[in-house]
Amino acid sequence: MPITPMIAGSGLIGYQVLQTTLTSQQKAFNASADVARDAKYFLENIGSVSSGDELVENRSLLRVALSAFGLSDQIDSTYLLKRVLSEGVEDDKALANKLNDGRYVALANAFNFEETVAYPFQEDGFADTVLAAYDKKIRSDLQGLLAEPEYSGNPIASAALETSVLDALEITSQHFRDNIGSVGSVDDLFSDPDLLKVALGAFGVEDRINSKTLLKRVFSEGADDPDALANVLKDKGLIAMTKAFGFNTEPSTALQAENFAEKIIDNYQWQLFEDAIYEIDPTIGTAMSFQRAAPALAGLDSSENTKWFNVLGDSMMREVFEKALGLPAGFSQIDIDKQLEVLKEKAESRFGIASFSDLEDEKVQNKVIFGYLLQAEIANNASYGSQQIALTLLSSMRQQNQNA
């Protein structure tokens, strides 16, 4: 079992004290035998999973995956999980989209088993590197040609040639920059003479332009295998070219993407830690969840209304905002568009949230969290004199702000 977090006090005061020891407590929690073991196993094995069914059938991997999205209690819902993972989220009729629970959408979106190929030439910066080599080659060839007797003694012909070559270089380079990222196969590259011309010229193998069969084989095979044609020919230009373009790159899923496992493990550890806090103090646990979820939602490339509707559709986020803003118990029963209007209006007037992206600011987050914890403490201790509790908590908040 993971170690139990320490919370010195309840409500706002407990939350503030917890923040001062958060890093060290999380580090110790993550080092717990069970948490560390699950994280290690996930890191070492998730890359070999190729379908939702395989993930569901591996309970150790599934436990981490579900916990990372707050769905640990669904580990025995085998049929439901297989459907969610196999159907994905692109179709509006997919089960994840119909469950009215953002956790399933996030799970299906993260564990996307559709195979794609990420070729090196589709990455940012690839065109710049190749074009720099191509530019250097063309300019060098141009200078050599201008030194020939035909042009060296004829300034007019020399100037005309230079202008023509450099204009063509600019046009060809721009074409390469605009179109290389859309290439999806060796045949695509060969169907565009200008792209192929740059590819061959940049690596000094333009003299093989008419050896289409040879070149296609070189591009397709790559240079990882000693028996690949580029290696057999011992042509450094062909070897460098096929390595750079990487047409032999194997298809992969999101699970093989760089840092995928680390991101899921980080979510898993955070979620377990928040759950442990919630077991001790549900109010502080909810505040901790909001502390992580609010900036993540604020940073999404979505419209203002979409983000606020996400709040209304998430039980934790809704609870925090409703309580922090002092909204009545029946608020959730009114028309959803009216809920949106009221929520946005009161969030701006009470906490200065003119745009949901404001919640990426820790100070704005704290205004909402402190308001939530204050109202929760007052509600939980109403019989002990809410005015006195409010004064005590407000004093604590002022002290915290002075120390910040």
Side-chain angles (χ1 to χ4, degrees):
M1 292 292 291
I3 64 172
T4 303
M6 298 293 294
I7 303 179
S10 61
L12 179 58
I13 296 173
Y15 173 82
Q16 291 175 324
V17 174
L18 176 60
Q19 295 299 302
T20 65
T21 61
L22 189 58
T23 301
S24 60
Q25 289 212 52
Q26 279 185 302
K27 185 176 180 180
F29 184 88
N30 294 343
S32 300
D34 289 352
V35 178
R37 182 186 64 247
D38 284 351
K40 182 175 184 292
Y41 182 82
F42 188 89
L43 182 64
E44 293 175 348
N45 293 278
I46 192 59
S48 63
V49 175
S50 60
S51 70
D53 285 3
E54 284 186 26
L55 177 61
V56 173
E57 289 163 9
N58 188 321
R59 199 172 180 87
S60 295
L61 293 178
L62 184 62
R63 180 168 58 249
V64 174
L66 293 180
S67 295
F69 295 93
L71 291 165
S72 57
D73 59 339
Q74 296 299 310
I75 194 165
D76 293 318
S77 302
T78 304
Y79 174 73
L80 180 146
L81 292 172
K82 285 185 176 181
R83 275 198 59 188
V84 165
L85 292 168
S86 65
E87 294 178 12
V89 296
E90 290 188 9
D91 190 336
D92 290 340
K93 295 180 180 179
L95 181 58
N97 295 322
K98 295 168 67 175
L99 289 172
N100 196 31
D101 188 328
R103 296 175 300 171
Y104 290 100
V105 173
L107 175 71
N109 191 52
F111 287 85
N112 183 350
F113 291 97
E114 181 180 356
E115 287 193 336
T116 58
V117 181
Y119 293 117
F121 55 81
Q122 295 172 332
E123 297 176 0
D124 291 341
F126 177 86
D128 292 335
T129 302
V130 172
L131 286 172
Y134 180 69
D135 186 275
K136 182 178 180 180
K137 175 70 169 55
I138 294 300
R139 291 179 185 275
S140 176
D141 289 347
L142 174 61
Q143 292 307 311
L145 187 57
L146 291 174
E148 293 290 327
E150 180 182 354
Y151 293 102
S152 61
N154 189 337
I156 295 176
S158 176
L161 174 64
E162 184 171 14
T163 299
S164 177
V165 170
L166 294 181
D167 285 348
L169 173 61
E170 182 178 351
I171 293 170
T172 302
S173 297
Q174 190 59 51
H175 178 78
F176 186 88
R177 195 183 304 280
D178 292 341
N179 293 281
I180 189 61
S182 62
V183 169
S185 68
V186 174
D187 287 340
D188 285 349
L189 178 63
F190 275 75
S191 69
D192 190 321
D194 287 329
L195 293 182
L196 183 61
K197 179 169 60 178
V198 173
L200 299 181
F203 293 92
V205 293
E206 66 279 359
D207 57 322
R208 295 184 182 272
I209 186 67
N210 294 318
S211 303
K212 296 291 197 301
T213 301
L214 179 147
L215 288 171
K216 284 188 176 183
R217 183 175 165 188
V218 166
F219 273 118
S220 299
E221 291 182 359
D224 296 334
D225 189 334
D227 294 328
L229 182 56
N231 292 323
V232 171
L233 294 173
K234 297 181 180 179
D235 187 317
K236 293 182 179 179
L238 291 177
I239 292 171
M241 180 181 70
T242 191
K243 283 184 175 180
F245 278 82
F247 276 107
N248 62 322
T249 302
E250 293 293 327
S252 63
T253 68
L255 281 68
Q256 282 87 49
E258 185 179 5
N259 297 327
F260 173 83
E262 288 82 355
K263 291 176 182 177
I264 298 298
I265 289 170
D266 183 60
N267 283 344
Y268 163 71
Q269 293 170 334
W270 258 106
Q271 190 63 52
L272 287 188
F273 186 74
E274 289 172 8
D275 290 345
I277 295 292
Y278 190 89
E279 289 295 319
I280 300 170
D281 189 313
T283 304
I284 294 179
T286 299
M288 290 287 293
S289 296
F290 182 88
Q291 181 184 10
R292 185 162 61 106
L297 178 57
L300 293 180
D301 185 20
S302 304
S303 69
E304 281 293 299
N305 284 354
T306 296
K307 292 175 183 179
W308 283 110
F309 275 127
N310 271 307
V311 169
L312 293 171
D314 184 295
S315 58
M316 179 275 295
M317 297 281 279
R318 175 187 277 273
E319 177 187 348
V320 171
F321 271 106
E322 286 187 355
K323 189 157 289 186
L325 294 171
L327 296 173
F331 177 70
S332 62
Q333 304 303 313
I334 66 175
D335 179 77
I336 189 68
D337 291 326
K338 185 62 177 178
Q339 290 184 50
L340 177 68
E341 179 186 338
V342 171
L343 195 60
K344 290 171 65 176
E345 179 185 321
K346 288 190 173 294
E348 182 172 6
S349 63
R350 183 75 62 86
F351 303 122
I353 303 175
S355 168
F356 202 92
S357 60
D358 293 339
L359 281 161
E360 292 185 272
D361 186 334
E362 185 177 349
K363 292 181 180 179
V364 178
Q365 294 169 35
N366 283 339
K367 288 180 181 180
V368 180
I369 291 172
F370 289 179
Y372 164 72
L373 291 169
L374 172 61
Q375 294 298 328
E377 191 78 355
I378 291 174
N380 291 339
N381 298 278
S383 61
Y384 296 96
S386 61
Q387 291 298 322
Q388 183 58 45
I389 294 169
L391 290 173
T392 301
L393 292 173
L394 287 169
S395 175
S396 172
M397 290 169 66
R398 283 194 293 270
Q399 184 64 43
Q400 179 75 9
N401 290 334
Q402 291 171 2
N403 294 335

